[in-house]
Amino acid sequence: MCTAATYKTTDFYFGRTLDYEFSYGDEVAVLPRNYALTFRHMGVLKAHYAIIGMAYVVGDYPLYYDGINEKGLGMAGLNFVGNAVYQKIEEGRENIAQFEFIPWILAQCASVCEAREKLEKMNLVGTQFSEQLPAAQLHWMIADEKECIVVECMADGLHIYDNPAGVLTNNPPFPQQMFLLNQYMHLSPKQPVNAFSKQLPLEQYSRGMGALGLPGDLSSASRFARVAFTRLHAMSGESEKESISQFFHILGSVDQQRGCCEVADGKYEITLYTSCCNATKGIYYYTTYENHQITAVDMHRENLDGETLVHYPIVTGEHILWQN
Amino acid sequence: MCTAATYKTTDFYFGRTLDYEFSYGDEVAVLPRNYALTFRHMGVLKAHYAIIGMAYVVGDYPLYYDGINEKGLGMAGLNFVGNAVYQKIEEGRENIAQFEFIPWILAQCASVCEAREKLEKMNLVGTQFSEQLPAAQLHWMIADEKECIVVECMADGLHIYDNPAGVLTNNPPFPQQMFLLNQYMHLSPKQPVNAFSKQLPLEQYSRGMGALGLPGDLSSASRFARVAFTRLHAMSGESEKESISQFFHILGSVDQQRGCCEVADGKYEITLYTSCCNATKGIYYYTTYENHQITAVDMHRENLDGETLVHYPIVTGEHILWQN
Amino acid sequence: MCTAATYKTTDFYFGRTLDYEFSYGDEVAVLPRNYALTFRHMGVLKAHYAIIGMAYVVGDYPLYYDGINEKGLGMAGLNFVGNAVYQKIEEGRENIAQFEFIPWILAQCASVCEAREKLEKMNLVGTQFSEQLPAAQLHWMIADEKECIVVECMADGLHIYDNPAGVLTNNPPFPQQMFLLNQYMHLSPKQPVNAFSKQLPLEQYSRGMGALGLPGDLSSASRFARVAFTRLHAMSGESEKESISQFFHILGSVDQQRGCCEVADGKYEITLYTSCCNATKGIYYYTTYENHQITAVDMHRENLDGETLVHYPIVTGEHILWQN
Amino acid sequence: MCTAATYKTTDFYFGRTLDYEFSYGDEVAVLPRNYALTFRHMGVLKAHYAIIGMAYVVGDYPLYYDGINEKGLGMAGLNFVGNAVYQKIEEGRENIAQFEFIPWILAQCASVCEAREKLEKMNLVGTQFSEQLPAAQLHWMIADEKECIVVECMADGLHIYDNPAGVLTNNPPFPQQMFLLNQYMHLSPKQPVNAFSKQLPLEQYSRGMGALGLPGDLSSASRFARVAFTRLHAMSGESEKESISQFFHILGSVDQQRGCCEVADGKYEITLYTSCCNATKGIYYYTTYENHQITAVDMHRENLDGETLVHYPIVTGEHILWQN
């Protein structure tokens, strides 16, 4: 499945893992301001904010998994299978197909505050991109450096939740994920004190015992707890390199290793890529399962006033630095 | 603390994490065959196997944390605080100081089998390297492509254990770590089936639920269970790049993120470095907390018949590949 | 807090624990068919089904915690603090005060099916019994030998849920309690098999390891899982004595021992009483914290055509059988 | 399997559960001072302390599962399958068959202190009671009001451990059981405080959340933790009735319900009986799976100067007190 998280030092960072058993062919796609964005039910948007993100590019259209815009807003879609139910097309509302949701928001909103306004007028509908590509069942995290929200479209309508944890995984719905954190209330990076019994000579036989009880498996509720704990206690220097390094360590806490999550006979879900966007500066950093080195694409090194999508196939295979 | 693991595809891999709140200054040190190894109680060894490993180099002496030799044998020392008790110097025995243990074995043994013979004649003693450097409380994992053992020197003597799990962390002693795995017997990469009650419509609401119950904290017993599960289910291609990539994912399952393990006010233990040696080919790969890229030193690119220690300070700071 | 459960052998059994730090003064109260039941907003009900249950009797009015009627329907109210929100009085609806809910249903409904019909017309309102007794925040379990439902009145209205688990505790709301059982899907009364790794000689070092992961604390979510597991696997003979014995063992799995749940300095919640009604035969069995012997009151030994409440103070203090 | 515990108010209490899938036929047996105790390797003991306990009586010989003597010393044997290894008969030592161990100690020792002296001279041997009754694999808890010890005879000899927890179950060996309690160090009867993150509005949604993490299954390590937590926090009045009531609540925390621990197809281990001895006054209280009422036998109501074993078959079947 997937995990998303935010991080803030001097700049604001937004990223995610994409976990699956195969890749559609991911590319870092820069969508410049004058790329004509055609919406199925909303016409064409000719001028808008520039976007950079990871996408499956079909023709010259980017099906974004996640991205940021030049204003510092980030957005990611994560699997929400069995719970996502899209709305009906309704006249008088802004009807947005599920696959258009990320560009719709990132192209027009400079902040979560503006995204909330857009969401109020919006119907999220299930119009397919093509016959071959049915609507994915997703929910979304949208964040800027000030706030973070989660958007879930379910049988009972579109929900918008404040997200103080700054993370998202998959099922169950967000309010339940947050409720489950109550069960981990006592977990801490500090060593536990003996509350079990003063009569017993209990000992801290290892460092790191303060978080005993944190789940270590790869299910989405366990990843939610683990990445929330890691993110909320994460500390790093303020520099760009220290910040992105720490961000990849945060998402590393929910890395899916090949072999540990069998989804069909001999098929394993793995963390295909992990991204960390500097939303403040417009840089998309990523690692892939087969390449631990961080690779980067800077949107500002492209012509953001252009009209054509620029896209870079992701780098795979370990890039090793030889010292001798 | 620390975690060690082995991995086998076409070649044999051996590596570890070193987790601590500060570094002594780590270097990849190649000890050639004719470097005169002086032992405190055993005289000088002039010709021996070449070694490559991570060390704190004092003068020209490598205090190895871990390493491999040119014959494919790997060895790592991990914290064992509160349990390690070294032996008394005894005449007629081979008295080896704790800090000499890794070079003593790697310089002379081509296999675990040969190491066992050496261990039989050996007393592991607490002779300090210097006044400033008291004997570290450690236990050790020794492995070749055929077998893996753990050596623990405690109040009741020197223990040698077969290690079918192929991993080691810290406290408690190895037999207890193995016993604790019984508690996780039912964990699996496959989805769970409903054994709770056929009357209830329980659902697999997420992938990866088969390992629910695996601990996610950073204590040494929890890391042992997590890395054992990950290593024992790990799958990868046989190529060098795929193998080392997978190895770093295995040890990534027990990565210690800055902020999650507070060892004193404002001091945090982190994974200072992670290593993966190709023991078959004599290559030392590593990443550091601040550099996700894999860096490598190949012992065979040095003059292995030399007499002087060759050492490379570890590369720190993220090395980023820019795509535009 | 509290736990309720059902059980079925030849007869149908319904009971609960009542856990709290003090007692209001509990009595087994038999309400005969012609006791004039006055409802605050619904007038007087003169003839109705007879009821037996545990109540705090104020004047001659039984504030029932739980009970059964002569038709075999059982109902219990359990704490639901922070979630219970009662409805507004609405003309044209049957407005029932929270404290009248149990008699309203048990006096008129011969089955869960009939209770559902009553619930459809009903508004559950917060009218207080008296100034001294504000409306308790509760949710309810209603069951007959065929089915079991849960009624929760929350900010978003009155919910009626099918309850295949046949148990109820307290927070969180029932759908979340059921969802949480998914996490225990793999638990079983049978010994676990080694799925962790065929390479490891893991052993079943104890009987009863199949339910490793079942929570053992006294919180309401943990009690829900534990009592559900126990109830769904419970087995006994069909006789009356074997059935009630087994029932008390089921609820014994969530017994709250004095000292283990501190609710204020030096104040401890305990299981004040545990009940087991033979709903088929109209017998109310109970134990109290201080009396392990089962005490019984049979409604059919009273004049069920009477007009006055018959009530028996509960027996406390251990009744010990001396063999010599 | 089984669980033993001690409790102290004004008097000293000692008891246990016996969990198994069938009973050999248990009786409360009073062994008076002049009953001639014949030991296989140690001759006959004609005058000794009187004993009361639960036993399988073969002929007129009591095979005690547990008991107390008139001096206030208690002792119980619990299953220790796979770990118990008895010693060889050795001349010059006091060779005691496993089945004689309880009478050997209780007949001669007035305290744990005196028991320790006896243990020093003793070899615990595997001599069978009869061909039909091979030596059970057990370990033992011995306690008086001042101290509690555990005796384990394993491949590496006879171990005597101080037992500050005052409880015993089965595997693994006692030092490991105590070690495992370290993992529950943070558990408390008080509500948890939010250490997870000050940024999250986590809530105590239920009472009793302070012990989240306590295991709830029936395996011996989980029962050890649960009964230790319950015993160490248990509180009651000082009177006899309050004390024994509380004691049965303590052992009730590890009650084995029929259906929850399948040991063979359709065969279930249950708590056959639970005992609570007032060791100060010489009274043996017990309940059985099928009888919740407490039954009692007082040794001082027998002729303790007699020569013959007095024994009472245990009372089974619920004894119900009818209030109407």
Side-chain angles (χ1 to χ4, degrees), chain C residues 207 214 216 246 269 286 289, chain D residues 207 214 216 246 269 289 323:
Chain C
R207 293 170 160 204
L214 193 65
Q246 183 69 0
E269 182 166 287
Y286 68 90
Y289 193 83
Chain D
R207 292 169 163 205
L214 193 65
Q246 183 68 3
E269 181 166 288
Y289 193 84
Q323 275 188 289

Side-chain angles (χ1 to χ4, degrees), chain D residues 301-321:
Chain D
R301 294 187 190 177
E302 306 297 334
N303 172 19
L304 290 188
D305 291 321
E307 298 178 1
T308 5
L309 194 74
V310 179
H311 44 110
Y312 297 88
I314 58 171
V315 173
T316 55
E318 293 292 348
H319 279 50
I320 292 160
L321 174 70

Side-chain angles (χ1 to χ4, degrees), chain A residues 207 214 216 246 269 289 324, chain B residues 207 214 216 246 269 289 301:
Chain A
R207 291 169 163 204
L214 194 66
Q246 182 69 0
E269 181 166 288
Y289 193 84
N324 72 348
Chain B
R207 292 170 161 202
L214 193 65
Q246 184 68 2
E269 181 166 288
Y289 193 84
R301 295 187 190 176

Side-chain angles (χ1 to χ4, degrees), chain A residues 192-253:
Chain A
V193 292
N194 177 5
F196 193 93
S197 174
K198 295 285 172 269
Q199 293 171 246
L200 300 184
L202 301 179
E203 56 161 347
Q204 300 164 351
Y205 62 84
S206 164
R207 291 169 163 204
M209 290 175 69
L212 266 166
L214 194 66
D217 64 284
L218 297 177
S219 72
S220 42
S222 297
R223 280 183 288 110
F224 192 95
R226 199 155 71 250
V227 75
F229 181 80
T230 307
R231 177 196 173 277
L232 288 159
H233 292 293
M235 302 187 72
S236 73
E238 298 278 315
S239 77
E240 179 71 352
K241 285 195 172 178
E242 288 166 304
S243 302
I244 61 172
S245 176
Q246 182 69 0
F247 191 93
F248 281 101
H249 280 285
I250 292 170
L251 286 184
S253 69

Side-chain angles (χ1 to χ4, degrees), chain A residues 21 171 189 205-207 214 216 220 241 246 249 255 262 269 286 289 294 296 298 301-302 321 323-324, chain B residues 21 171 189 205-207 214 216 220 246 249 255 262 269 286 289 294 296 298 301-302 321 323-324:
Chain A
E21 64 268 33
N171 287 337
Y205 62 84
S206 164
R207 291 169 163 204
L214 194 66
S220 42
K241 285 195 172 178
Q246 182 69 0
H249 280 285
D255 179 46
E262 188 168 355
E269 181 166 288
Y286 68 89
Y289 193 84
I294 299 167
D298 183 345
R301 294 188 190 176
E302 306 297 333
L321 174 69
Q323 273 189 288
N324 72 348
Chain B
E21 64 267 32
N171 287 338
Y205 61 84
S206 165
R207 292 170 161 202
L214 193 65
S220 41
Q246 184 68 2
H249 281 285
D255 179 45
E262 188 169 354
E269 181 166 288
Y286 68 89
Y289 193 84
I294 298 167
D298 183 346
R301 295 187 190 176
E302 306 297 333
L321 173 70
Q323 273 189 289
N324 74 346

